[in-house]
Amino acid sequence: MDIVKRIGWTLAAAMLALLLYAADGYRDALRDAPKLKLLAQSIIEDGRGPGSLTDWQVEAFLAVEDPSFFEHSGIDWSTPGAGAATISQSVSKRVAFKGGQPGIGKIRQTAYALGLEEKLDKEEILALFMDLTPMGAKDGLWITGVHTASEAFFEVPVSNLEPRDFLSLIAVMIAPGDLKIASPDAALQRRVLRIERLLRGDCIPTGNGDVWLEGCRVSS
């Protein structure tokens, strides 16, 4: 019985430690929220927020990056294609966890995302994501942000992009160090084709973790 009690107390202590660890992330988000809100509002006022996209572009963007963005509160473990990180969790990684949080560290990162959702509205969170997301390199220079990438790679504002060019911006986000917009890239084009099939409703991802859209693979 003593062994059973010890195991019980050990498990309880471990659970308490995890809760306290998560609480630290949540409190950090509440602390950082005012400055992040100001940053998001400046991005929006500068014409680099989601309001600068067409309705179709917003729908396509969210269909790939975070299908239930406007429904969840920072976490989504069920929507097909959503993957392990929502837009809110990705923003958390960019603003507070520069090196990422492997393993147990993701608990704190997720709690931070919940805190962001508490204090920032969806437009502000999406604006931060759009402006802080790595988009690949051109001429040896790293490009960050959807609007910067549009000007760098296509020399036009985002809202003036051809549909396939805009989908290239979405496609590259999953692996900006590997996929390339600046030069011909068959892998990028295959991903664009999968996204086009997804948007047409011709396919569905195989599950929550299918961020590479294997369910939309074009059969040879």
Side-chain angles (χ1 to χ4, degrees):
M1 184 62 73
D2 287 341
I3 294 176
V4 174
K5 285 183 178 179
R6 281 198 209 100
I7 293 174
W9 281 111
T10 300
L11 290 175
M15 289 298 296
L16 178 59
L18 286 176
L19 288 173
L20 291 174
Y21 185 59
D24 281 343
Y26 186 82
R27 284 194 297 268
D28 287 347
L30 299 186
R31 178 201 64 204
D32 296 344
K35 67 179 181 182
L36 292 174
K37 181 176 279 286
L38 287 175
L39 175 59
Q41 290 173 349
S42 70
I43 291 169
I44 293 168
E45 291 169 4
D46 196 39
R48 293 179 289 130
S52 64
L53 305 182
T54 68
D55 291 343
W56 176 84
Q57 287 175 334
V58 173
E59 291 174 5
F61 192 93
L62 294 179
V64 176
E65 290 299 314
D66 192 344
S68 63
F69 176 67
F70 284 107
E71 285 74 52
H72 67 63
S73 298
I75 303 173
D76 180 4
W77 291 324
S78 61
T79 302
T86 62
I87 283 176
S88 304
Q89 289 170 301
S90 295
V91 169
S92 298
K93 177 181 177 181
R94 303 292 174 212
V95 301
F97 304 94
K98 300 300 184 182
Q101 291 288 287
I104 197 172
K106 289 188 178 295
I107 294 175
R108 190 163 177 265
Q109 184 175 307
T110 298
Y112 192 100
L114 295 175
L116 286 186
E117 288 272 355
E118 181 72 22
K119 294 298 183 179
L120 276 65
D121 63 34
K122 291 290 188 177
E123 182 185 19
E124 292 165 343
I125 293 172
L126 188 52
L128 290 171
F129 180 81
M130 289 173 57
D131 204 58
L132 299 175
T133 297
M135 302 294 293
K138 181 180 181 182
D139 299 328
L141 298 176
W142 196 252
I143 307 297
T144 301
V146 173
H147 288 80
T148 303
S150 180
E151 295 285 355
F153 295 126
F154 301 109
E155 299 182 348
V156 296
V158 174
S159 59
N160 291 348
L161 285 173
E162 294 294 326
R164 179 161 284 195
D165 290 339
F166 181 73
L167 295 185
S168 294
L169 294 183
I170 300 175
V172 81
M173 291 179 184
I174 194 170
D178 298 321
L179 301 177
K180 297 175 179 61
I181 297 178
S183 58
D185 186 346
L188 178 67
Q189 293 311 310
R190 285 195 295 271
R191 179 160 172 78
V192 169
L193 288 173
R194 294 182 186 188
I195 292 173
E196 288 177 333
R197 296 192 72 226
L198 176 73
L199 297 178
R200 288 198 304 267
D202 293 343
C203 62
I204 59 173
T206 58
N208 172 261
D210 186 15
V211 293
W212 283 94
L213 302 180
E214 289 296 322
C216 294
R217 179 190 291 270
V218 179
S219 57
S220 55

